[in-house]
Amino acid sequence: MIIPEKLKRGDEIRIIAPSRSASILSVEGVQIAKEKLENLGFVVSFGKHVFDKDLQHSTSIQQRVEDLHEAFRDENVKGILTVIGGFNSNELLPYINYEIIKENPKIFCGYSDITAIGTAISTQSGLVTYSGPHFSSFQMKKAQEYQTHFFTQCLMQGAPFELKPSEQWSDDAWYLDQENRIFEKTEWKTYNGGIASGELWGGNLCTLNLLQGTKYMPSIENAILFVEDDDMTIPETFARDLTSLLQNTDSIKALIIGRFQRASKITEEQLLFILDKHPMLKEIPVLYNVDFGHTQPMFTFPIGGEIQVDASKCLLKLVRF
């Protein structure tokens, strides 16, 4: 896998919208996020069609692909952040020129629906991409320190490091009320102990599963899987989606599950019931309630990178990213 050059102060970050557009963000929110990135030392620029919108608060395939290609072609751009997630980034996959990306490797970061396009870029160009904050995520005030710390550690330096639990987490609508937030103590949990190391694949589970049966789906044989889902899932659909993914392989090395949103109703009891169905998960390291996905804050991790897992000690270490 190709590891893109790390970001440094003074670098230009291009904001693009391969899923929903920035039209759903407030003017104030855009300014806050832009200033946060500028305070980290970056120059922020926007794709041509980022603020356009159609009936579903996105833009045409052609417009989104144009902004993606231009971001990779532009020699001044060193990193690319997606505005936000959505539902339709997989529409772009057949129309992307992956040779452009391969010839101009650079950091590409986002999560949720961006799992589809980030994974496709990794499988088709061999470029490591990143599951981490969107541009819009930098609007958030409280819990931003943890999120920004691991964003910069993953994308601005290359020495191996441990991903550590946050002190507290939240599942409230922070984008509606930045001040009156409810936080709880964080606790990563072990379903099954053990140590493993290997290539990391995953992200948003239902989005990743959209790639099954296509050339964009990665081989997850002997991989370490990271999966999470949002408030639109329920125990039954998560169980079905997880089963579908696990049936893509005879063997994985470890499974790491991001923390669930309250609205999903996936309680600890429900999750353990689901995991107990799969004999293979009793033979490998499995962690859950980990800091990635649709609760806050989140860390950043590499799609196609390498990681070490010690589930007994709840330790995760990025090795090659």
Side-chain angles (χ1 to χ4, degrees), residues 41-314:
F42 299 120
V43 175
V44 178
S45 61
F46 295 90
K48 179 180 178 181
H49 303 290
V50 164
F51 295 96
D52 296 343
K53 66 175 181 178
D54 59 17
L55 185 63
Q56 296 182 345
H57 300 284
S58 184
T59 55
S60 71
I61 290 172
Q62 180 181 0
Q63 289 171 319
R64 286 178 282 152
V65 169
E66 179 184 339
D67 279 358
L68 177 70
H69 285 167
E70 177 56 29
F72 274 100
R73 282 196 189 103
D74 192 329
E75 294 181 358
N76 294 320
V77 173
K78 305 303 181 184
I80 302 167
L81 278 185
T82 54
V83 165
I84 199 167
F87 299 91
N88 61 350
S89 74
N90 67 322
E91 293 175 346
L92 307 188
L93 307 188
Y95 307 101
I96 296 171
N97 185 329
Y98 296 98
E99 285 301 312
I100 291 175
I101 296 173
K102 191 172 183 178
E103 292 168 3
N104 301 277
K106 58 189 67 175
I107 283 170
F108 178 90
C109 182
Y111 76 105
S112 192
D113 186 55
I114 305 305
T115 297
I117 193 168
T119 302
I121 287 173
S122 293
T123 60
Q124 299 304 296
S125 71
L127 176 67
V128 168
T129 59
Y130 299 89
S131 180
H134 298 303
F135 169 72
S136 56
S137 303
F138 286 92
Q139 299 173 84
M140 186 176 69
K141 297 177 182 177
K142 296 179 180 179
Q144 184 63 247
E145 184 177 352
Y146 175 95
Q147 186 164 272
T148 299
H149 170 75
F150 283 108
F151 174 83
T152 55
Q153 192 159 16
C154 187
L155 302 185
M156 296 184 74
Q157 64 91 31
F161 67 94
E162 289 185 4
L163 294 164
K164 298 181 182 297
S166 61
E167 292 185 2
Q168 55 184 4
W169 68 279
S170 179
D171 182 31
D172 49 26
W174 60 267
Y175 44 87
L176 297 179
D177 188 346
Q178 291 267 28
E179 302 304 326
N180 301 305
R181 300 189 60 186
I182 299 171
F183 286 90
E184 302 177 50
K185 181 177 174 56
T186 298
E187 184 181 6
W188 293 5
K189 294 189 176 183
T190 302
Y191 172 75
N192 198 56
I195 297 173
S197 61
E199 202 166 69
L200 187 165
W201 293 95
N204 183 252
L205 177 59
C206 66
T207 304
L208 180 63
N209 278 354
L210 296 175
L211 305 184
Q212 291 192 46
T214 73
K215 64 183 179 181
Y216 311 108
M217 183 70 184
S219 170
I220 59 172
E221 196 73 22
N222 293 317
I224 292 176
L225 296 183
F226 275 49
V227 300
E228 58 85 17
D229 227 322
D230 60 19
D231 61 358
M232 296 183 71
T233 194
I234 59 174
E236 291 82 358
T237 56
F238 179 78
R240 179 174 62 181
D241 288 344
L242 179 62
T243 298
S244 179
L245 183 63
L246 294 178
Q247 288 174 353
N248 259 276
T249 178
D250 293 325
S251 176
I252 60 172
K253 289 186 174 180
L255 176 66
I256 315 299
I257 302 172
R259 191 168 38 234
F260 290 96
Q261 293 184 272
R262 300 289 188 205
S264 72
K265 307 299 182 185
I266 303 180
T267 61
E268 185 171 39
E269 180 184 23
Q270 285 280 1
L271 179 60
L272 295 179
F273 173 76
I274 293 167
L275 298 180
D276 282 343
K277 294 182 178 185
H278 301 282
M280 68 187 296
L281 299 183
K282 295 178 173 63
E283 305 296 328
I284 61 171
V286 179
L287 284 176
Y288 63 98
N289 276 9
V290 179
D291 285 294
F292 67 96
H294 287 73
T295 61
Q296 301 83 42
M298 71 175 77
F299 56 62
T300 301
F301 61 89
I303 304 300
E306 295 180 14
I307 190 169
Q308 295 175 352
V309 177
D310 186 338
S312 303
K313 297 181 179 179
C314 292

